[in-house]
Amino acid sequence: MIRPKYPEPVYVITQPTPPAPNAAPVAPCSCGHQTPAAPQYQAPAPAQTGRPIGLYLAVGVGAVAGTVALAIAVTALFLAIAVTAISVTVAAVVLRSLLADYQRDHRR
């Protein structure tokens, strides 16, 4: 069978290498400008090992409270729409009844 040939993976090193500790300083040139200072290597900050559980608990409680508040607001909107629909329906039935009575009385 024919098998595809996959390309070799390319590995990229993303962490900079620290400069040599005994690097000789570069002398300024005779034109009078200053050469930029070499960037200082700074080790990454150590990762925190113990995080307080209270922070996660507070975020969870806040998320639940927000979800409940949103659910209450959406329910209230749906209830308002339902009440409006019922009111419009009742008004349409009453107007139809009044119009039918008016047309029946004035046909004679």
Side-chain angles (χ1 to χ4, degrees):
M1 297 264 0
I2 299 175
R3 293 187 182 188
K5 292 183 178 179
Y6 297 111
E8 293 294 322
V10 177
Y11 298 103
V12 178
I13 298 174
T14 59
Q15 199 171 26
T17 57
N22 294 332
V26 178
C29 62
S30 62
C31 62
H33 72 277
Q34 297 290 331
T35 57
Q40 296 292 329
Y41 176 75
Q42 188 173 11
Q48 293 180 352
T49 56
R51 292 191 176 138
I53 191 72
L55 176 65
Y56 295 115
L57 186 61
V59 169
V61 168
V64 168
T67 304
V68 168
L70 184 65
I72 290 172
V74 169
T75 303
L77 287 173
F78 285 153
L79 184 61
I81 291 170
V83 167
T84 303
I86 291 170
S87 300
V88 168
T89 303
V90 168
V93 168
V94 169
L95 286 175
R96 189 175 81 176
S97 174
L98 289 174
L99 186 61
D101 287 344
Y102 179 77
Q103 286 178 351
R104 187 179 53 206
D105 290 341
H106 284 78
R107 282 189 187 169
R108 297 183 196 162

